[in-house]
Amino acid sequence: MTLDPQSIRKDFPALAAEAIFFDSPGGTQVPNRVVERISRYLTTTNANHGGAFVTSRASDEVVAEARRAMADFLNAPSPAEIVFGPNMTTLTLSLSRALARTLNPGDEIVVTHLDHDANIAPWLLVAEDRGCTVHWLDFDVEDCTLRMDQLETMLSKRTRLVAVGYASNAVGTINPVAQIVERAHQAGALVYVDAVQYAPHGPIDVQALDCDFLVVSAYKFFGPHVGALYGKREHLERLRAYKVRPAPEEPPEKFETGTQNFEGIAGVLGALEYLAELGRRSGGEHAERYAADFEGRRLRLKQAMAAIRSYEMDLSGALLDALEAVPGLRVYGLTERSKLDRRVPTVSFRMEGWHPRQLAEALAEAGIYVWDGNYYALAVTERLGVEASGGMVRVGLAHYNTREEVRRLGEVLQALARRRPG
Ligand SMILES: Cc1ncc(COP(=O)(O)O)c(C=O)c1O
């Protein structure tokens, strides 16, 4: 373990509050660097895009640097393959419109029961508009892992798109994305990866995955509310964007119609600078692992995410220990300690006698912030049979959380398990 959570926490002003932030799958807190970048943007370079004057040029340079940093974060071959937008959902709906134009009646799309609805509903709408058939890849309710055996039977020459999440926002499962991409490509299908919930927890490499598209949201990995989409250059060039006429015809700008959230994009750069610095400081074993393939900021970002991953795997084990010690509490998802590398530290559960909302409220009273409900992973809560009864309670850890906070959660849950809500 190479991360020191106490020194990390000093960088996040919001963490000075007397609260335990276990709400990170809904959105993480931001480090000082993000606040500084946004503030600097608004005070010194606030201008619209493409002007001849100094602030507009400086603003464009901030966006260009953020694009380069995001390409480094995802290991995209080129910054021209990075599209910024308001959030993952809007980017996905917009790209799905462009992709829909290439589909025909009888074409097939694969979605999964394990995904957030933002990587399901856009494709259901495409299928409805274009007369395509949708196949639903199921998951095993015992451990919430995808039924890979079913994928084999679903793929055919008619499959045009597979939409899959990298990690579940509900139960934390990491999906075998590289394997899915390989199989989908053999069938001739494109793959659209929702990496929103993996991005805060581990290194992403779009070239190693060979995926066609991959989307993230910066507010889930210590940045502001801005989304980003990676698309292979050939697809971004080929697809016709829904855009206004004066906007550029070239990617990535052709997919960025309307005025972007420039101060937010400056904040995204701040988040990536924060992570690169964390990577530089954590160095060591992770540097050796990646040094042969990466250099500069790409290497530092890899190091940061690898260090975060190994710190969080340890914390995941502690969280599962704490939860499983509570009488009447049932965890949904992977709990086998030997398989912690197949999940992110996002754990959902229910507790006997407690409605998830009541439990979330009782935890909030104790200063512990968690989510309850379906978190828009409607297909998951429906499949687990908990949608009608309030969904689940979700605890999500980030690299700024500590063992001490996990221990406190365990204590509070133990006390709550002894009393039923009034
Ligand atoms: C896995 C996953 N995908 C997509 C989204 C939607 O992201 P956004 O809020 O950026 O549209 C979320 C948000 O919680 C998510 O967890």
Side-chain angles (χ1 to χ4, degrees):
M1 200 194 331
T2 45
L3 291 190
D4 170 18
Q6 291 313 333
S7 83
I8 284 168
R9 291 175 73 83
K10 292 194 190 114
D11 246 337
F12 288 75
L15 298 182
E18 282 291 311
I20 296 181
F21 292 90
F22 283 163
D23 61 332
S24 62
T28 46
Q29 300 306 318
V30 302
N32 286 311
R33 186 82 188 169
V34 170
V35 182
E36 283 159 20
R37 272 283 181 191
I38 294 176
S39 165
R40 198 190 318 165
Y41 179 87
L42 289 171
T43 48
T44 66
T45 60
N46 189 18
N48 211 332
H49 168 62
F53 50 94
V54 75
T55 47
S56 178
R57 284 170 191 248
S59 172
D60 286 350
E61 183 41 43
V62 170
V63 174
E65 181 58 10
R67 218 185 282 288
R68 288 191 286 271
M70 186 61 82
D72 289 349
F73 183 59
L74 302 177
N75 195 32
S78 149
E81 293 169 301
I82 302 296
V83 178
F84 285 118
N87 51 56
M88 178 278 183
T89 308
T90 307
L91 281 166
T92 302
L93 281 166
S94 159
L95 194 97
S96 71
R97 298 290 88 203
L99 263 175
R101 291 173 139 156
T102 68
L103 302 185
N104 295 305
D107 283 344
E108 299 184 359
I109 296 175
V110 176
V111 296
T112 92
H113 274 286
L114 202 51
D115 269 78
H116 185 286
D117 213 52
N119 201 25
I120 297 176
W123 311 116
L124 300 184
L125 293 169
V126 164
E128 198 179 311
D129 293 349
R130 305 295 299 160
C132 303
T133 305
V134 176
H135 293 288
W136 284 82
L137 182 59
D138 204 359
F139 63 86
D140 183 341
V141 291
E142 285 306 310
D143 63 1
C144 298
T145 55
L146 280 180
R147 291 277 312 272
M148 292 299 287
D149 55 316
Q150 284 187 350
L151 181 66
E152 296 304 319
T153 63
M154 278 173 193
L155 292 171
S156 78
K157 284 202 190 81
R158 302 240 60 175
T159 316
R160 300 294 306 280
L161 181 83
V162 176
V164 66
Y166 205 147
S168 159
N169 71 316
V171 289
T173 319
I174 296 174
N175 296 320
V177 175
Q179 190 187 337
I180 293 170
V181 172
E182 196 183 347
R183 286 294 299 111
H185 283 176
Q186 280 163 5
L190 300 179
V191 182
Y192 192 93
V193 180
D194 171 1
V196 168
Q197 291 293 338
Y198 185 75
H201 304 297
I204 296 177
D205 185 338
V206 291
Q207 295 187 65
L209 293 174
D210 195 30
C211 54
D212 298 283
F213 303 96
L214 182 140
V215 255
V216 293
S217 259
Y219 75 94
K220 310 281 193 185
F221 57 91
F222 324 113
H225 295 90
V226 171
L229 175 144
Y230 156 80
K232 274 187 183 164
R233 187 193 282 261
E234 59 188 281
H235 301 318
L236 295 185
E237 276 172 1
R238 173 177 56 91
L239 290 172
R240 208 175 130 206
Y242 272 76
K243 63 181 275 298
V244 293
R245 289 174 298 165
E249 297 291 345
E250 300 303 317
E253 286 92 351
K254 75 176 187 184
F255 291 102
E256 292 179 343
T257 51
T259 307
Q260 292 294 304
N261 175 359
F262 301 126
E263 62 274 30
I265 292 172
V268 174
L269 175 57
L272 296 172
E273 286 170 338
Y274 159 77
L275 286 171
E277 175 56 20
L278 186 70
R280 192 189 61 73
R281 288 204 311 256
S282 63
E285 53 180 303
H286 305 296
E288 277 160 38
R289 184 159 144 213
Y290 291 108
D293 298 320
F294 300 98
E295 57 182 25
R297 185 166 53 197
R298 283 186 193 226
L299 174 61
R300 292 194 293 280
L301 288 165
K302 280 275 171 297
Q303 285 170 200
M305 298 317 297
I308 285 176
R309 183 116 181 80
S310 73
Y311 172 70
E312 289 183 352
M313 259 163 62
D314 182 64
L315 216 52
S316 292
L319 175 60
L320 289 170
D321 288 347
L323 293 177
E324 286 174 354
V326 179
L329 188 148
R330 171 175 174 196
V331 171
Y332 294 83
L334 266 176
T335 54
E336 243 181 276
R337 303 304 192 270
S338 62
K339 293 185 179 162
L340 290 182
D341 61 333
R342 292 174 61 190
R343 64 146 46 254
V344 293
T346 299
V347 181
S348 281
F349 59 88
R350 287 175 65 101
M351 205 161 89
E352 233 172 75
W354 289 80
H355 186 279
R357 175 41 65 108
Q358 286 173 321
L359 192 51
E361 282 169 356
L363 289 169
E365 264 175 47
I368 302 176
Y369 301 171
V370 300
W371 282 101
D372 65 285
N374 64 26
Y375 353 104
Y376 280 26
L378 180 63
V380 176
T381 50
E382 283 182 343
R383 185 70 184 82
L384 292 174
V386 294
E387 175 58 22
S389 54
M392 299 174 284
V393 172
R394 177 180 71 183
V395 172
L397 309 181
H399 72 301
Y400 51 60
N401 290 122
T402 65
R403 270 181 169 266
E404 174 53 28
E405 290 177 317
V406 168
R407 198 192 51 74
R408 171 84 188 126
L409 170 73
E411 252 174 36
V412 172
L413 285 172
Q414 296 269 1
L416 292 174
R418 285 193 289 271
R419 74 166 167 90
R420 294 276 164 103

